Amino acid sequence: MYCSYSDIIKFRSLTEIIDLVNDENTPYNETDLNSPANICRQRIDEAIKAADAEIDGYLRQRYTVPLTEVPALIKYNSVSLTLEYLYFRRLPASVPASVAADAKTKRQMLKNIAEGFIGIGAETADSKPASGTYKSNKENTGRIFNDDMLNSY
């Protein structure tokens, strides 16, 4: 996984995260998110997997996924998308505007990473080189205005 439960609670309070995944209304003091067997923790892990799958979808055209080492940029993208998934699963009609806007920004960033405009700091031999060259199927013989004609002006 590109981020962890502990990464997520650095950005949102523990009670807020519990509210998003506690469908059973278990008291806060009885909800142990440190236990992978806890149903609330499993919901968080599923949201992380969904975010990571989306990230892999963007990165697949440029990198071998899943990434073996997780750059900080990808971790923060994963946290942002995971938060959006958690809000959406609990409150589909009212994802906070700040969460939705942050996720939208992160998706644009992922598109830019996929296109080679942003590096993730973990280029590998498997990475495709950044674009910057143009390819054309045109040849000099097919030119309408040759050098002699252009130089006559």
Side-chain angles (χ1 to χ4, degrees):
M1 290 193 275
Y2 296 144
C3 75
S4 65
Y5 152 73
S6 59
D7 294 323
I8 293 169
I9 61 172
K10 291 176 186 174
F11 290 88
R12 291 289 191 267
S13 70
L14 182 60
T15 55
E16 186 176 351
I17 298 300
I18 291 173
D19 286 342
L20 293 172
V21 294
N22 190 3
D23 297 347
E24 296 77 23
N25 293 320
T26 307
Y28 293 121
N29 61 349
E30 294 178 20
T31 305
D32 181 18
L33 294 181
N34 291 316
S35 169
N38 183 290
I39 188 69
C40 293
R41 173 62 183 273
Q42 291 172 5
R43 290 181 183 123
I44 293 170
D45 289 344
E46 285 301 314
I48 292 171
K49 287 177 188 174
D52 291 355
E54 184 174 348
I55 291 170
D56 284 348
Y58 283 103
L59 299 183
R60 183 168 283 115
Q61 66 187 27
R62 184 165 208 79
Y63 301 96
T64 302
V65 293
L67 300 171
T68 52
E69 292 185 31
V70 182
L73 189 61
I74 298 300
K75 179 174 76 171
Y76 296 130
N77 274 274
S78 182
V79 168
S80 180
L81 296 177
T82 298
L83 285 170
E84 184 189 46
Y85 281 119
L86 289 173
Y87 273 101
F88 186 77
R89 78 165 286 285
R90 186 65 165 192
L91 310 161
S94 60
V95 174
S98 62
V99 172
D102 187 46
K104 182 178 180 181
T105 301
K106 296 299 192 271
R107 284 185 179 97
Q108 183 58 50
M109 183 183 299
L110 288 168
K111 287 177 186 175
N112 288 336
I113 291 169
E115 293 173 3
F117 297 122
I118 297 176
I120 58 174
E123 307 328 293
T124 65
D126 297 299
S127 298
K128 295 179 183 171
S131 61
T133 59
Y134 293 96
K135 293 183 179 180
S136 174
N137 63 353
K138 304 297 179 202
E139 297 178 0
N140 283 339
T141 58
R143 290 178 57 180
I144 297 173
F145 301 105
N146 60 26
D147 287 336
D148 292 333
M149 180 171 279
L150 291 173
N151 289 331
S152 66
Y153 289 98

